[in-house]
Amino acid sequence: LKAPCSSGSAAIQHHRQPLPPTFSSTDSMFAAAANTHETSQPTVPVDEKTRREMESFTAVMRESGIREGVIQVLSEQVLLDPNELLNITDSDWQRLYSLGVPVGQRSVISASAVKGRADKMLSVQPASAKFNIIAYTSGLLFALPPLIIGLVNEYGPYDRERALSDVEGALLVILPGILWNLVLLATVEGGRTSFSVDIMEQRSDGTSLREANRTNLTNVGVVGALLLTVVVAMVQVDTPLDETDRLLAQWYMIFLVSSMVPLFASVIMSSMLLLYVEPLDEDAALSYIGAFLDYFGEPTLATIVGIFNFVP
């Protein structure tokens, strides 16, 4: 499991610079900090997103009237993140004072950190073309089979008036149906681990993983059970056509079965995981979730796959 973000105190400990020599005034201390910045290379590489966030927070501090020398000291101590500044301890502030940060600037810096954190949470991120392409491509792939079947039924040789022979049923329904379900199975089994890891990585510091997973599993299990009752009822009623040996009627049942199986797996998996997590305390639940992390993403992904088959 990915560890939560480190506190400001830890950041100072890991990236602490050597104490500067004694100076006669704060201004000379600021000048020395600026000279050190000009001659030294950055010790902590940052990505583009982090760099933009640091520049935005720096602008907030300048608007609040914080001096450039103070901003430079915070930059050298890797404290240009609002959350880091709000989490540092009094001993860390004492060190910042020794590096040239005036005592009177503490309240201004803290207020800037609060504003910077709010701006960071409320900022609108640019749309990701990569994720949009993946979403549209996935939706098109799942909508393509029923679309093709509908077009063949309306304009192709296998319309609602023509019954399928045994050979045609095997070639046009059974074998493609088996292949379709294998693709769905590979999607669930191949994507469940990354889905589980994403859920755990995006948690907030201090959040109870036991309670969060209990809530998620309960909600997913209830949604899966409700959808499963609908799908089972649709399987038991008549097909859209009175003749069950038509291409459209055969694929209607294939899609319903392909939806029923992952929804059933989602309900069972959610119930089994809840059965094991419920009697555990926080530490034991964390150990259990870490040991079987890939299973915790399967109920949600299986429900999504079931919905994809149910909608057409």
Side-chain angles (χ1 to χ4, degrees), residues 227-241:
L227 291 174
L228 184 61
T229 58
V230 176
V231 174
V232 170
M234 294 176 67
V235 171
Q236 294 174 339
V237 300
D238 295 335
T239 62
L241 302 177

Side-chain angles (χ1 to χ4, degrees), residues 24-306:
S24 57
S25 67
T26 302
D27 291 336
S28 61
M29 201 175 278
F30 287 153
N35 293 333
T36 302
H37 177 72
E38 293 175 356
T39 58
S40 61
Q41 298 296 326
T43 57
V44 181
V46 295
D47 55 27
E48 182 64 22
K49 178 182 177 182
T50 304
R51 185 185 65 80
R52 290 197 304 266
E53 292 176 350
M54 293 171 63
E55 291 177 351
S56 176
F57 182 50
T58 300
V60 171
M61 289 194 291
R62 290 194 179 102
E63 293 174 359
S64 301
I66 298 176
R67 300 168 59 179
E68 289 295 330
V70 175
I71 297 176
Q72 182 62 48
V73 172
L74 296 177
S75 175
E76 292 174 355
Q77 297 300 310
V78 198
L79 285 175
L80 288 183
D81 180 87
N83 293 320
E84 298 285 354
L85 277 174
L86 292 174
N87 288 329
I88 63 177
T89 63
D90 289 337
S91 61
D92 297 325
W93 278 109
Q94 293 298 326
R95 177 170 181 79
L96 290 176
Y97 298 154
S98 70
L99 293 174
V101 176
V103 176
Q105 292 273 284
R106 176 172 179 174
S107 60
V108 182
I109 294 173
S110 299
S112 299
V114 172
K115 184 177 185 302
R117 183 172 63 177
D119 292 344
K120 181 178 179 181
M121 291 188 294
L122 297 176
S123 61
V124 179
Q125 300 297 327
S128 173
K130 173 185 175 182
F131 292 146
N132 286 336
I133 292 174
I134 293 175
Y136 290 133
T137 302
S138 301
L140 180 61
L141 290 176
F142 275 97
L144 198 57
L147 180 61
I148 294 175
I149 294 168
L151 292 175
V152 170
N153 178 74
E154 289 294 331
Y155 305 105
Y158 298 97
D159 57 14
R160 62 186 62 198
E161 301 299 331
R162 177 177 175 180
L164 297 178
S165 65
D166 293 339
V167 176
E168 289 173 336
L171 295 177
L172 299 177
V173 179
I174 297 177
L175 292 180
I178 293 175
L179 180 62
W180 177 245
N181 279 273
L182 290 177
V183 170
L184 298 179
L185 179 62
T187 301
V188 174
E189 297 303 317
R192 66 180 189 177
T193 300
S194 60
F195 207 83
S196 303
V197 172
D198 287 343
I199 294 174
M200 301 306 166
E201 283 184 343
Q202 302 306 320
R203 76 189 191 279
S204 298
D205 187 18
T207 301
S208 171
L209 283 179
R210 177 181 179 274
E211 295 303 319
N213 278 279
R214 287 180 66 252
T215 302
N216 292 338
L217 291 172
T218 301
N219 293 337
V220 171
V222 170
V223 172
L226 292 175
L227 291 174
L228 184 61
T229 58
V230 176
V231 174
V232 170
M234 294 176 67
V235 171
Q236 294 174 339
V237 300
D238 295 335
T239 62
L241 302 177
D242 293 334
E243 299 80 3
T244 59
D245 55 356
R246 303 300 193 261
L247 179 67
L248 186 62
Q250 295 280 313
W251 271 101
Y252 175 80
M253 297 303 298
I254 289 291
F255 283 124
L256 288 181
V257 172
S258 300
S259 176
M260 183 174 61
V261 172
L263 289 175
F264 181 78
S266 173
V267 174
I268 296 300
M269 184 69 72
S270 299
S271 301
M272 294 300 295
L273 291 174
L274 276 173
L275 182 66
Y276 282 97
V277 170
E278 189 66 32
L280 303 178
D281 60 16
E282 185 66 29
D283 292 337
L286 182 62
S287 177
Y288 179 77
I289 294 171
F292 302 99
L293 183 59
D294 54 341
Y295 291 102
F296 282 83
E298 184 169 344
T300 302
L301 191 55
T303 301
I304 294 174
V305 170

